Amino acid sequence: MDISDLYDHNYVPYSKKTSVALVRSENGTWFPGVRIENISYPLSISATQNALFYCLSEGEQPAELFTDEVNASMIPSWEKEFGFTANAINNNDLQNITFKNPVLDSDINKIDHLKQLLDMAVVGESNFPVSAIVKTEQGYFTGVNIECTSWNMGLCAERVAIGKALTFGSTNLMSLEIHTRKGEFSSPCGACRQVIMEHLPKKQIHLHHADDSESIHFSEDLLPHSFSSSSLSNR
Ligand code: THU
């Protein structure tokens, strides 16, 4: 995958305006991100947030960000929080980069993996780790929740996982697994349910509860009457 593929992996059915972001970690690893819009516009994930939170969810520290969103109003807040510098992207300077590939083999034990993933969550505010795994035609993609001191600048585990899957070109998100150690009943928040409806309609959502029980729900049952409107084009 190279930068031109990343532009193709954008999910921008509403604005048709693509963006990409690349984060180089302190270890020199590259993490990409694309823009992922939602029919409820405020739930959209910017390319920068997608790339940055991919890096953080893998336990790495961002050093530099390259993006065409460099003037986005949220970037200075993340720069201050995570200590990286933001640069305008220059595609010619960023050729031949190898991205960290997050796909996991389909033979992993999902429950063990969900439990291990909890240690990767960035939960300085809540100390409430959440993990997620999304199954795609390419394999499994993982996510953990990433928190910021400004709470609304963070992202839930489910959306971090969906962000990685789309960035790497998955087009068929087949099911989603969610786990939390502390909640009596693991359950996606309302915002995640709306995002799930956009990418996993009619798909199974597996909730792995703190007592090791599991419940399986169709996405429609988790969010009846989800927001949609024929006047918001997704073609
Ligand atoms: N959280 C998730 O990661 N997923 C959900 O669906 C519910 C909430 C996270 C967000 C925040 O980091 C913490 O749990 C407390 O709200």
Side-chain angles (χ1 to χ4, degrees):
M1 185 171 84
D2 60 27
I3 296 178
S4 59
D5 296 319
L6 275 184
Y7 284 99
D8 292 340
H9 296 169
N10 269 258
Y11 178 78
V12 290
Y14 307 105
S15 76
K16 317 276 192 293
K17 291 181 192 150
T18 57
S19 290
V20 300
L22 306 176
V23 166
R24 187 179 56 75
S25 75
E26 286 176 357
N27 290 340
T29 314
W30 287 92
F31 298 90
V34 301
R35 176 174 168 84
I36 300 176
E37 296 182 346
N38 189 272
I39 193 160
S40 176
Y41 286 10
L43 299 181
S44 299
I45 304 168
S46 67
T48 294
Q49 186 175 37
N50 202 356
L52 183 60
F53 286 21
Y54 174 20
C55 172
L56 291 161
S57 74
E58 301 280 326
E60 296 221 25
Q61 291 310 309
E64 275 193 294
L65 163 73
F66 299 87
T67 181
D68 48 20
E69 299 174 333
V70 74
N71 294 321
S73 58
M74 291 160 96
I75 291 180
S77 171
W78 284 317
E79 272 184 297
K80 202 170 147 211
E81 178 122 22
F82 299 113
F84 61 89
T85 50
N87 309 281
I89 200 163
N90 180 339
N91 290 355
N92 295 330
D93 291 346
L94 294 171
Q95 294 304 320
N96 304 319
I97 287 174
T98 307
F99 299 122
K100 170 137 187 181
N101 186 337
V103 184
L104 296 180
D105 286 343
S106 301
D107 58 5
I108 57 158
N109 179 317
K110 280 182 285 186
I111 295 172
D112 286 350
H113 207 83
L114 282 166
K115 290 187 179 191
Q116 288 162 21
L117 272 174
L118 293 176
D119 293 332
M120 307 298 285
V122 178
V123 287
E125 299 297 310
S126 70
N127 193 26
F128 186 88
V130 183
S131 55
I133 298 179
V134 62
K135 182 180 181 188
T136 77
E137 81 279 16
Q138 302 190 81
Y140 293 114
F141 291 84
T142 63
V144 291
N145 50 333
I146 305 292
E147 295 180 352
C148 300
T149 43
S150 296
W151 291 6
N152 59 332
M153 305 285 288
L155 210 53
C156 295
E158 298 89 322
R159 282 179 275 169
V160 172
I162 291 170
K164 285 184 209 175
L166 268 59
T167 296
F168 281 82
S170 298
T171 53
N172 186 4
L173 277 51
M174 300 167 182
S175 64
L176 183 69
E177 320 267 336
I178 304 164
H179 177 55
T180 172
R181 188 188 293 143
K182 291 184 176 166
E184 301 81 27
F185 190 91
S186 299
S187 181
C189 74
C192 285
R193 290 175 192 217
Q194 184 72 45
V195 175
I196 287 168
M197 281 299 295
E198 188 129 1
H199 301 287
L200 291 124
K202 303 187 175 68
K203 299 288 164 57
Q204 286 189 338
I205 313 301
H206 297 241
L207 307 181
H208 299 272
H209 309 298
D211 66 359
D212 286 339
S213 64
E214 176 183 359
S215 58
I216 305 174
H217 310 260
F218 281 101
S219 44
E220 278 72 10
D221 295 329
L222 292 178
L223 192 62
H225 307 294
S226 65
F227 174 66
S228 72
S229 172
S230 56
S231 65
L232 296 167
S233 164
N234 67 355
R235 291 276 158 259

